[in-house]
Amino acid sequence: MPEYDFHQLSPYDLEVLTRDLLQAHWGVDIESLKAGRDGGIDLRCAVGPSRTIIQVKHYLRTGLASLMRDLVLEAVKVRRLAPSRYVLVTSVPLSPANKDAICGIIGTEYLKPQDIFGAEDLNKLIGQHSDVEGRHYKLWLASRGVLDRVIHNAALTRSEFKARQVHE
């Protein structure tokens, strides 16, 4: 499984990838919203009376320090929105201590460590949902493994077809 650092994605591309991964993983429809100022909501999901808000933070070059600083402002929005569940997704690699610190900033009544997805968690979801990976070409343009599959796909398909013909 490739380990992506997500540098090739724009913030909007990361939102769309996140939507597709979480939809596949949770088995629910997730609503995408327009890019730009979002009032603390990038994606959302409503199932019955439950309202899940998903915020995606792409800190390509500035990393953890900028993420933590910006989450202080984000916490105000979360409290105002008062969702049933708040999920934070970031391209920044996170440790368990980082996740605990993020929960402390946002507030444990809104955010649990299992609802924080860092770069490692995104890579794990990509490994579990390779069909999503295949639909996001900007993601795998930097992946040799995926490019090799694309390049050799015709030969593989032809070989599978011939094997099926021989078997029949």
Side-chain angles (χ1 to χ4, degrees), residues 24 33 144:
L33 305 165
R144 168 152 179 138

Side-chain angles (χ1 to χ4, degrees), residues 33-77:
L33 305 165
K34 71 179 187 127
R37 291 190 180 269
D38 55 30
I41 304 172
D42 287 328
L43 306 167
R44 65 183 177 183
C45 173
V47 179
S50 176
R51 260 184 357 135
T52 300
I53 291 175
I54 304 159
Q55 187 66 29
V56 182
K57 298 290 188 185
H58 192 24
Y59 287 80
L60 185 59
R61 289 175 179 61
T62 54
L64 184 62
S66 289
L67 173 64
M68 300 300 264
R69 184 180 59 246
D70 289 354
L71 286 177
V72 173
L73 301 173
E74 198 67 33
V76 174
K77 296 175 190 175

Side-chain angles (χ1 to χ4, degrees), residues 47-119:
V47 179
S50 176
R51 260 184 357 135
T52 300
I53 291 175
I54 304 159
Q55 187 66 29
V56 182
K57 298 290 188 185
H58 192 24
Y59 287 80
L60 185 59
R61 289 175 179 61
T62 54
L64 184 62
S66 289
L67 173 64
M68 300 300 264
R69 184 180 59 246
D70 289 354
L71 286 177
V72 173
L73 301 173
E74 198 67 33
V76 174
K77 296 175 190 175
V78 174
R79 288 183 186 96
R80 181 178 34 84
L81 293 166
S84 306
R85 181 180 185 192
Y86 181 74
V87 176
L88 177 69
V89 179
T90 181
S91 57
V92 175
L94 299 173
S95 70
N98 298 147
K99 289 184 177 187
D100 291 342
I102 290 169
C103 286
I105 292 170
I106 298 295
T108 55
E109 65 272 25
Y110 298 111
L111 185 61
K112 309 290 183 249
Q114 64 267 25
D115 285 334
I116 302 172
F117 293 82

